[in-house]
Amino acid sequence: MFKVIYDGSAEKKAHKNVFADAIARLAAEDPSVIYLDADLMNSAGTYSFWQKNPEQALNCGISEANMIGVAAGLSAVGRKPYCHTFGPFASRRCFDQVFLSVGYAKNSVRIFGSDPGVTAAFNGGTHMPFEDMALMRSIPAAAVFDLADGVQFDWLLTAVKDRPGVTYMRSTRKNYKTIYEAGSTFEIGKGNVLTDGKDLTIIACGLMVGEAMEAAQILGQEGISVRVIDMFCVKPLDKELVWKAAAETGAIVTAENHNVIGGLGDAVAAALLEKTGVPFAKHGVQDQFGQVGPVDYLQEQYGLTAKALVETCRQVLARK
Amino acid sequence: MEMKKRKELELFAAQIRLETTKQIATRGFGHLPGSLSVVDVLSILYGDVMRYDPKNPQWEDRDILVMSKGHAGPAVYSTLAMKGFFPMDELKTLNQPGTNLPSHCDRNKTPGVDMTTGSLGQGVSTAIGMTLGNKLAGRDSYTYLFVGDGECDEGQVWEGMLFAAQQKLDHLVVFVDYNKKQLDGYVKDVIGLDDLSQKFSAFGFHTEEIDGHAIEAIANAIAKAKETKGKPTCIVLNTIKGKGLPEVEEMDLNHHIQIDTELAARSIAVLEAEVERLKGEL
């Protein structure tokens, strides 16, 4: 059960601390848990965990492909690995290893790809994963998550401890807007209706959940009733919830901090077309590379703002 | 090594060669030469050294084999079948639709195969992960990892070696099948590897360099590996791609070859004669 407490304010706890605390807790509870990183423990907040728990933390150095393979091998002999590195290095860089040594070989590894999309900020275009969900979605039986806030991230890290196969999670290391009350629980494969509405549905994930709530409020002030769904689980997608939204609100906009190619938008579009043909638009990065900048600037550059999202909603509504 | 034991292992190797050639001949094509070059080591591993149970391929305390050069699958399958992991008559199903014996080793299809491989370099890291996991669990198991020489072009191989040395994995034994050839020709004409032993020593390994087809030399090198503490071992095998079939050895580009019925017949005849000769000596 979850409770929505969004009010536009930022979270207090940085997600890197959520991650570090969760890893420490999970490792203490379950000795089979083991944490691997590729020379980014200081970035993930887990450096001191590593210093104190060398038996349950492995720094693999700047060798992501090896890290994933090592994790796969550890899984094969009974361990439960959690791997972290930046999103592009967790996906593009070692995709074949994730695909084959984990997915195809049926090993089980949980992968945290941090700094998704524009949240890579000053690390710029080489570090900006706009395609990690597209890649991970294409792995059979993988689960792909884009976390909306730290409460959800904390819950998920525990929920996937025993999950077989590839589990990919993207999250900022900093803070998003608060969405959920502490202690909220969720269900893998189910989207969350955050606010109800009947004119249009915004299906969002990750960073864009907060933006979607704001967009809904802007439109609400004009008398347009917007349903907002947090589709934190992009694969497996909650198709029933998508069809329900299409049937009940008649217009869908997806919103993601990701290329419009291959991510949440394409997942929802494909689901929609299985059943219906409502006016639909994907709001996200329009097939562009990343660049350096502060997050708010980048959000403007790539249209990942409530204001830009409102415009897309207006266009879709006009087609109803 | 006792003479009788050596002859038994030489016979086993000849039988593995024969069964491997028959498998690949059934399909008419395959990675025969690179399968033949690893056979003698497989004979010693499964004939003398490794701890395993064909009735319980998942036995937690087993020694592990990772054929990171996964295209040598057929040699592994011959070995496993002869040791009772699955029926011999399955060998003729190599690469047939729906088979449990695909061209590249698959842990989810073949009993006795410990890791899925085929994308070169990846088996290295997984073997290291398994070795490390076993070490952390306090098991005494060894992991025997085969890499190809061409495979050493992959950066992941060296990422793994750095890590293995850092983790002091003395229960990891790496065999490099240094047959001096890769798909596009001689290794020296594609990416030269020069003195591989020196490279592995530089990476913190205990190294041996031996004739990869000499049973006693292989046995001695493995024994030395097991005496070595605190460092992983690399045994560089000087081998011949296609070993055991002179016609195949002499082919220039022989990574993946066609085998017509005449070549198959000649090859099988050569190997059957060798098996008979070795049986006679026992």
Side-chain angles (χ1 to χ4, degrees):
Chain A
M1 287 298 316
F2 60 85
K3 181 156 179 230
V4 180
I5 57 169
Y6 168 84
D7 64 356
S9 65
E11 298 179 274
K12 297 277 189 314
K13 188 171 182 182
H15 289 210
K16 76 184 222 179
N17 297 329
V18 170
F19 178 68
D21 290 350
I23 289 293
R25 176 174 47 78
L26 291 166
E29 285 168 8
D30 184 346
S32 71
V33 166
I34 187 161
Y35 162 62
L36 296 90
D37 207 309
D39 197 38
L40 287 174
M41 285 180 176
N42 269 299
S43 306
T46 48
Y47 180 84
S48 63
F49 174 77
W50 175 39
Q51 296 300 301
K52 292 180 203 152
N53 301 274
E55 291 240 324
Q56 280 180 288
L58 293 170
N59 200 326
C60 300
I62 313 172
S63 303
E64 297 74 19
N66 184 52
M67 174 177 72
I68 295 298
V70 169
L74 285 165
S75 159
V77 296
R79 303 301 296 264
K80 292 175 190 160
Y82 281 78
C83 295
H84 164 265
T85 182
F86 292 141
F89 313 142
S91 60
R92 296 195 309 248
R93 176 94 198 194
C94 58
F95 184 62
D96 198 26
Q97 287 73 20
V98 175
F99 188 100
L100 284 178
S101 293
V102 187
Y104 181 70
K106 294 190 166 62
N107 289 307
S108 303
V109 177
R110 296 126 211 98
I111 301 169
F112 167 32
S114 62
D115 290 1
V118 296
T119 64
F122 295 102
N123 279 326
T126 59
H127 284 47
M128 213 153 266
F130 287 145
E131 63 297 305
D132 51 345
M133 290 203 286
L135 285 167
M136 295 301 177
R137 280 182 66 219
S138 71
I139 302 176
V144 180
F145 303 94
D146 192 356
L147 282 314
D149 80 359
V151 167
Q152 191 178 63
F153 190 23
D154 189 51
W155 172 86
L156 185 69
L157 285 163
T158 303
V160 297
K161 179 169 73 79
D162 301 311
R163 188 181 177 277
V166 173
T167 301
Y168 184 76
M169 301 170 277
R170 65 196 314 249
S171 166
T172 183
R173 290 178 294 123
K174 295 191 172 165
N175 318 61
Y176 286 149
K177 302 273 160 61
T178 296
I179 308 291
Y180 297 108
E181 185 177 69
S184 291
T185 61
F186 308 90
E187 236 190 288
I188 291 175
K190 293 267 175 280
N192 309 321
V193 178
L194 302 185
T195 181
D196 210 346
K198 55 176 182 47
D199 296 324
L200 171 141
T201 302
I202 302 175
I203 303 178
C205 62
L207 168 73
M208 294 307 285
V209 172
E211 300 298 327
M213 291 296 274
E214 195 186 327
Q217 283 177 349
I218 295 170
L219 289 164
Q221 276 151 26
E222 298 168 23
I224 299 166
S225 159
V226 176
R227 179 180 300 183
V228 176
I229 292 175
D230 165 26
M231 194 67 86
F232 76 102
C233 186
V234 176
K235 182 182 185 183
L237 189 78
D238 190 347
K239 292 187 191 181
E240 296 288 342
L241 196 60
V242 171
W243 295 327
K244 189 161 185 285
E248 291 171 5
T249 71
I252 309 276
V253 174
T254 56
E256 59 197 305
N257 174 23
H258 187 275
N259 199 325
V260 289
I261 294 174
L264 174 67
D266 277 351
V268 169
L272 279 173
L273 276 174
E274 284 178 35
K275 283 267 167 89
T276 182
V278 296
F280 169 82
K282 296 180 287 183
H283 192 90
V285 176
Q286 296 291 330
D287 199 21
Q288 298 161 278
F289 287 116
Q291 59 186 287
V292 294
V295 177
D296 51 4
Y297 162 79
L298 292 171
Q299 284 187 246
E300 287 287 341
Q301 283 295 298
Y302 293 104
L304 303 181
T305 60
K307 241 174 80 181
L309 181 51
V310 162
E311 279 320 299
T312 302
C313 291
R314 291 194 205 287
Q315 284 163 27
V316 167
L317 284 164
R319 287 156 48 198
K320 272 185 95 167
Chain B
M1 176 180 272
E2 197 200 68
M3 167 94 79
K4 177 158 184 282
K5 186 79 202 171
R6 177 167 66 78
K7 292 209 174 284
E8 281 168 2
L9 293 171
E10 284 171 0
L11 172 60
F12 186 34
Q15 288 166 326
I16 296 171
R17 285 199 159 88
L18 174 60
E19 291 303 325
T20 302
T21 303
K22 280 158 70 177
Q23 279 180 62
I24 292 175
T26 306
R27 282 262 51 168
F29 57 82
H31 298 94
L32 181 59
S35 297
L36 293 174
S37 49
V38 300
V39 162
D40 305 281
V41 177
L42 285 174
S43 167
I44 290 174
L45 288 176
Y46 282 85
D48 196 36
V49 166
M50 282 173 73
R51 186 168 64 193
Y52 58 85
D53 178 0
K55 300 287 172 268
N56 184 9
Q58 301 291 313
W59 179 36
E60 255 185 15
D61 291 314
R62 72 187 186 285
D63 288 332
I64 286 167
L65 176 84
V66 177
M67 182 59 71
S68 188
K69 46 170 286 179
H71 52 276
V76 176
Y77 306 151
S78 303
T79 310
L80 293 172
M82 282 193 277
K83 285 303 180 185
F85 281 84
F86 54 86
M88 288 289 290
D89 63 19
E90 271 195 47
L91 288 175
K92 64 178 180 292
T93 69
L94 178 76
N95 277 330
Q96 299 291 342
T99 187
N100 285 327
L101 301 182
S103 56
H104 295 78
C105 296
D106 189 322
R107 73 193 276 259
N108 296 307
K109 291 197 156 63
T110 314
V113 169
D114 290 318
M115 185 49 67
T116 301
T117 55
S119 181
L120 295 173
Q122 292 202 32
V124 170
S125 297
T126 62
I128 290 166
M130 294 171 88
T131 312
L132 180 54
N134 280 336
K135 177 181 175 174
L136 292 171
R139 298 184 193 115
D140 195 39
S141 324
Y142 277 79
T143 300
Y144 298 95
L145 165 63
F146 271 90
V147 300
D149 48 10
E151 182 171 13
C152 292
D153 296 350
E154 279 280 359
Q156 185 169 358
V157 170
W158 303 101
E159 294 177 6
M161 299 311 161
L162 285 170
F163 185 76
Q166 178 74 17
Q167 297 292 328
K168 298 180 163 35
L169 296 181
D170 51 27
H171 280 48
L172 175 71
V173 181
V174 181
F175 294 100
V176 182
D177 182 14
Y178 204 8
N179 59 37
K180 312 299 185 304
K181 288 167 125 180
Q182 56 191 109
L183 194 145
D184 282 335
Y186 289 98
V187 160
K188 66 175 167 56
D189 295 327
V190 180
I191 302 280
L193 295 171
D194 294 332
D195 188 338
L196 264 183
S197 300
Q198 200 179 62
K199 288 184 163 68
F200 278 88
S201 296
F203 274 67
F205 277 61
H206 163 77
T207 62
E208 303 278 341
E209 183 165 344
I210 59 170
D211 174 353
H213 303 300
I215 295 284
E216 278 201 73
I218 298 166
N220 291 338
I222 294 173
K224 289 221 198 89
K226 289 187 144 186
E227 287 162 19
T228 301
K229 303 294 170 218
K231 284 177 153 192
T233 293
C234 174
I235 301 172
V236 175
L237 307 166
N238 286 309
T239 53
I240 297 172
K241 202 157 181 167
K243 177 71 178 178
L245 292 175
E247 240 188 293
V248 172
E249 293 175 23
E250 277 155 31
M251 290 176 186
D252 222 8
L253 295 171
N254 63 352
H255 180 70
H256 180 275
I257 63 172
Q258 302 296 313
I259 303 163
D260 62 27
T261 47
E262 284 88 28
L263 176 58
R266 289 195 300 276
S267 302
I268 289 168
V270 164
L271 293 170
E272 279 175 343
E274 181 65 2
V275 166
E276 285 316 302
R277 182 183 76 78
L278 288 163
K279 276 184 179 167
E281 285 188 9
L282 266 177

